[in-house]
Amino acid sequence: QVHGIVRRSSSFNTGRIEHLYKNPQAHIEGNMKLHYGDLTDSTCLVKIINEVKPTEIYNLGAQSHVKISFDLAEYTADVDGVGTLRLLDAIKTCGLINSVKFYQASTSELFGKVQEIPQKETTPFYPRSPYGAAKLYAYWIVVNFREAYNLFAVNGILFNHESPRRGANFVTRKISRSVAKIHLGQLDCFSLGNLDAKRDWGHARDYVEAMWLMLQTDEPEDFVIATGEVHSVREFVEMSFKHIGKTIVWEGKNENEVGRCKETGKIHVTVNHKYYRPTEV
């Protein structure tokens, strides 16, 4: 039985779980229930946790866009940092310390300006964004509750994990959607930020399985989950176009760089400085 917390919005914001309602394997009537709630509202968290009395809690809630965290720094701190504390406090308030297992979605963004390669569980953190800094507070408050109250609580330090359900303003989805639209003749060109930014991209399905496995261990422990391979945004673009039979040739430098289709001569990719981050990881 799965319970989820969803923020109230005047527009429908359940698009990414819509497929579960239609899947009889995933959604037998009553097996999945959504509650209105918010990580900035401790009262509702206590009410929901007290009503549901869960055995496992996965805190995947966050303002999770790194670039946007520079614009919404205080809100990001409230949701991603203090929001985690509110959840942990709700568990304690409801007297569930000994019966619940807690998973915290930590992030590779904690490493930020990396102090060693490759990164592991003991690598010192050096966050480079308000998002990373908020998640750092969350990481340590989870460790604190584990050590102070003996709560089964773990941090999953996950590198980027993607799927078709990734939000449209994240670079992987932005590229794949734009390339599909170009293929269908609905779009000519799209803009990106730093083409040479590198990331370790894995598949969300594998990473969610890893989250679950972390809560099945005998002792709570923090783990880094990654593929161990990095690829650039540039590479991602090239491979996506290759998928629709186009070869991208790069011309120009820095902000004047463009990606041109070798076959047709059309420019499909441009660079816009507004998508650059103040600090890159």
Side-chain angles (χ1 to χ4, degrees):
Q1 201 177 51
V2 177
H3 292 259
I5 295 178
V6 60
R7 277 170 297 148
R8 195 268 156 192
S9 167
S10 56
S11 56
F12 285 109
N13 59 355
T14 53
R16 285 188 286 184
I17 56 169
E18 220 57 55
H19 64 291
L20 294 175
Y21 293 115
K22 300 179 181 77
N23 180 350
Q25 269 83 40
H27 185 243
I28 300 155
E29 195 54 52
N31 272 11
M32 184 175 81
K33 187 173 182 200
L34 296 180
H35 306 260
Y36 282 116
D38 201 295
L39 285 168
T40 61
D41 182 346
S42 50
T43 310
C44 81
L45 297 178
V46 169
K47 270 164 43 183
I48 294 165
I49 288 172
N50 194 46
E51 180 195 331
V52 173
K53 294 195 168 47
T55 51
E56 295 182 350
I57 294 177
Y58 295 84
N59 179 25
L60 314 181
Q63 190 303 98
S64 63
H65 200 291
V66 179
K67 171 74 169 71
I68 291 168
S69 79
F70 286 95
D71 304 319
L72 297 178
E74 184 188 334
Y75 175 73
T76 301
D78 194 15
V79 174
D80 302 14
V82 186
T84 304
L85 171 64
R86 291 188 187 103
L87 262 181
L88 292 165
D89 256 338
I91 291 168
K92 191 161 165 280
T93 300
C94 296
L96 298 176
I97 286 280
N98 297 319
S99 59
V100 85
K101 291 182 171 186
F102 183 84
Y103 174 85
Q104 167 61 15
S106 283
T107 168
S108 59
E109 290 286 332
L110 293 174
F111 297 126
K113 189 176 177 181
V114 298
Q115 301 300 294
E116 64 178 358
I117 295 172
Q119 296 91 64
K120 52 184 186 283
E121 287 80 2
T122 53
T123 302
F125 296 131
Y126 196 139
R128 296 262 280 174
S129 64
Y131 170 78
K135 284 285 194 175
L136 185 62
Y137 174 84
Y139 172 91
W140 283 115
I141 205 69
V142 166
V143 172
N144 192 250
F145 266 70
R146 181 167 71 212
E147 294 177 355
Y149 306 114
N150 220 15
L151 172 68
F152 191 112
V154 304
N155 286 290
I157 306 168
L158 273 50
F159 277 73
N160 296 46
H161 37 290
E162 312 294 324
S163 89
R165 281 185 270 284
R166 178 61 118 165
N169 64 345
F170 286 80
V171 74
T172 48
R173 198 74 183 103
K174 182 178 180 179
I175 294 167
S176 58
R177 279 167 61 97
S178 299
V179 170
K181 283 178 179 175
I182 287 168
H183 184 59
L184 295 170
Q186 297 171 1
L187 186 73
D188 285 329
C189 186
F190 63 98
S191 295
L192 294 169
N194 182 2
L195 294 170
D196 295 313
K198 288 185 174 166
R199 292 292 182 273
D200 179 327
W201 284 299
H203 197 294
R205 184 184 298 235
D206 301 324
Y207 285 61
V208 173
E209 186 182 354
M211 294 176 192
W212 178 79
L213 285 168
M214 279 181 230
L215 292 195
Q216 312 316 311
T217 57
D218 295 332
E219 294 295 323
E221 200 182 334
D222 304 328
F223 291 97
V224 173
I225 306 292
T227 71
E229 267 188 34
V230 291
H231 296 276
S232 66
V233 173
R234 188 186 297 278
E235 238 181 300
F236 201 109
V237 171
E238 289 166 1
M239 289 182 74
S240 301
F241 275 104
K242 198 173 278 185
H243 198 70
I244 60 161
K246 287 181 184 285
T247 312
I248 289 294
V249 180
W250 302 101
E251 300 170 2
K253 283 259 187 296
N254 301 326
E255 283 175 60
N256 298 316
E257 190 168 9
V258 295
R260 193 186 291 278
C261 175
K262 188 180 170 184
E263 288 78 13
T264 64
K266 280 187 183 171
I267 291 175
H268 289 314
V269 187
T270 59
V271 172
N272 189 330
H273 203 266
K274 79 173 183 180
Y275 297 122
Y276 276 67
R277 291 170 184 182
T279 43
E280 186 52 79
V281 302

